Amino acid sequence: MSGIGGPYVLGIDCGTQSLRSALFDLRGKLIASESTPYPIDYPQVSWAEQNPEQWWQAVRVTVPGVLREAGIHPREVKGVSVDGTACTVVCCERDGTPLRPAVLWMDQRAHEEAAEVTATGDPVLRYAGGPESPEWMIPKAMWLKRHEPEVYERAEVICEGTDWLMHRLTGNWTASLNCTTCKWNYARPEGGWPERLLATLEMSELLERWPSEVLPMGRPAGHVTMRAAEEIGLLPDTPVAEGGIDAYAGMIGLNVVQPGRMAMVMGSSTCHLALCSEARFDSNVWGPFPDALTEGTWVLEGGQTATGSIVKWFADNFAAREMLEAKSRGRSQYELLDELAAQVEPGAEGLVLLDYWQGNRTPLRDPLARGAIWGLSLRHELGHVMRAIYEGTAMGTRHILEDLRSTGFEPQGIYAAGGGTRSQLWLQIHADACQVPIYLTNESEATALGTAVCAAYGAGLFESLEEAAEKMVRITREIEPNRLWAGTYDELFRRYTSTYDALKDLMHEAGSEQVR
């Protein structure tokens, strides 16, 4: 492919299962992209870890690959930025050498420490929605200090995976305002760093291990170093803009930068991000996060810990025959599973599925919740279960949406992106379950695009992040909800929420035994 028509910007999207590098022009057109997968380790139930060096190796493979595919010279790349999963915690030396595997965002081992943070009642917690999540930075750091004290003491830097990659690119240690606000209990209205909370928890030394410079998304953070340039094929001194959380980059890549809009980023997990012009403190989702996306706005963040990862789990473990059939037909295994699920009517003939494979993030905030499916009979086949997974995960989205509505936030539409949008059936089920239209952009990988938008703004190619998003993002399709199925999904939602109520005590009993 010819690269004529630049300049170009590069977005590096460090996901849970793979890293993608994508090159865009200033109209938001995808020029080239390449991804590289890497494994996840699950040492114990509810734990999840990854080797940070595999992220950088993926950068070393994908960035040169993108440049080759696009057929452009590195001088035509005018800016780069990085997004990643959060809160994925890296303990390392000052030069970036990891001291242990990164503790992935989905890891729930720090649930006891999270409860201790919540018990402090510190005023800063209101900006996180009240209860602390075991996914976040402070509980995970507390767990490391208690259970791996030698690693904790040796760690000169404790940061996000995104921060670690930014350091690999620039040689600078910076922290994203987006990450620190949403995952580290950093709150500008309270003065920034949660010093009082850390003192109460006897964790004040953590401040010395965190990067001290905090930058909003899209702000200049440094330039590509000579060493990084040699490894990945960019020119030295290419501008690098501050990145952030992958889902928030997705907001930008969907042009959800104006209050009143809601983004749904569908990947291994699903994030629901509502942008508000004022703080709303009475929800059960995370936030309101001040200035997390753009200055002067607030974000309410709902999320499901496992969605796409449940689909993959099911396909990997129960659909071997379908995988072989799809391979023989030159098709994707997931396309075949979609076809089987589409043959089943809404409601999956009585199946009810709870999507709590890795606990419930919001609105229940229950790390000990577990997945469940009931209503099975000998009539049910693979397609029924596949549809039940799609419907159960859609019910999780509806649960979050109902909570947001209770605060007065009523989205006129949901702007969707991520790998899950490849399934038209799954999208339609979400629209029908929530009875809200879903909008899609011309670029389904909105996360990488949003990161490229940050790169363009940080390189000075646009006056503001909002302008960059407006110029680089285009809405191309709308999925209308089917009103005929509203009653069916109302009843399924009632059963979905009632199932948790009925099984909660048993889940906690079993979950407590598993995480000991």
Side-chain angles (χ1 to χ4, degrees), residues 449-467:
L449 174 57
T451 303
V453 170
C454 289
Y457 169 49
L461 301 174
F462 295 99
E463 293 295 323
S464 68
L465 197 63
E466 291 86 348
E467 180 195 1

Side-chain angles (χ1 to χ4, degrees), residues 14 77 110 165 176 188 217 293 334 356 383 406 424 437 466 500:
C14 185
V77 179
L165 282 171
S176 169
R188 276 184 168 179
M217 293 181 74
L293 188 76
Y334 296 103
Y356 305 157
S406 71
Q424 299 306 303
E466 291 86 348
Y500 172 75

